[in-house]
Amino acid sequence: MLGTIWINAGMGLVAFVITFCTALLSNVWLVSLERAAIALVVFFLAAFPIRFVLALVTQTPVPSVTAEGAEGANAPLDEAGTEAKSTDQTVETVADEAFSPLSFTKLETVPPIENPATVAEVVRRLTDE
């Protein structure tokens, strides 16, 4: 999903303030507070599907541990204390060897053999009904 829970909280708080201010003009403060709290909950929960749809539309990747980050933690160190660069090269070669495009075999279509007697029988049955 796109963003964090703070986006949900922000949308809920904005809805709370707007609802409270507009409801306070024509209602008692307690009723306005109640309606604003309902708006906060509704907008907080409505932000989840909104964030999900935005993540699908923008194709934002889900944050996860990448291959570089995973190997960086366990990479062997040189004598100077820096990471060895051989792991980056092995990741690239493994990725190149693992990828192979799909190849489909071409299917041969066989035209059905229509028997004229069968076709005539089907036409007769369809015209009867």
Side-chain angles (χ1 to χ4, degrees), residues 65-78 82-84 86-88 90:
V65 177
T66 60
E68 294 174 6
E71 289 188 3
N74 298 328
L77 298 178
D78 291 344
T82 60
E83 291 182 12
S86 63
T87 56
D88 292 336
T90 57

Side-chain angles (χ1 to χ4, degrees), residues 98-120:
F99 177 75
S100 63
L102 293 176
S103 60
F104 296 104
T105 58
K106 189 165 187 164
L107 296 176
E108 214 176 283
T109 58
V110 177
I113 301 171
E114 290 95 11
N115 186 0
T118 308
V119 173

Side-chain angles (χ1 to χ4, degrees), residues 53-76:
V53 169
L54 282 175
L56 288 178
V57 169
T58 59
Q59 298 292 328
T60 305
V62 177
S64 63
V65 177
T66 60
E68 294 174 6
E71 289 188 3
N74 298 328

Side-chain angles (χ1 to χ4, degrees), residues 1-8 48 51-52 54-55 58 60-63:
M1 273 205 256
L2 183 68
T4 62
I5 197 76
W6 292 107
I7 293 174
N8 293 48
F48 282 109
R51 284 176 37 208
F52 180 73
L54 282 175
T58 59
T60 305
V62 177

Side-chain angles (χ1 to χ4, degrees), residues 12-25:
L13 286 175
V14 167
F16 178 86
V17 170
I18 291 172
T19 305
F20 184 74
C21 291
T22 56
L24 194 59
L25 297 173

Side-chain angles (χ1 to χ4, degrees), residues 2 18 27 30 38 46 63-64 69 86 88-90 96 110 120 122 124-125:
L2 183 68
I18 291 172
N27 295 314
L30 190 58
I38 291 170
S64 63
S86 63
D88 292 336
Q89 294 170 350
T90 57
D96 291 339
V110 177
V122 169
R124 282 190 208 114
R125 289 187 184 264

Side-chain angles (χ1 to χ4, degrees), residues 19-20 23-37:
T19 305
F20 184 74
L24 194 59
L25 297 173
S26 61
N27 295 314
V28 183
W29 71 272
L30 190 58
V31 173
S32 300
L33 189 64
E34 178 182 330
R35 291 180 180 171

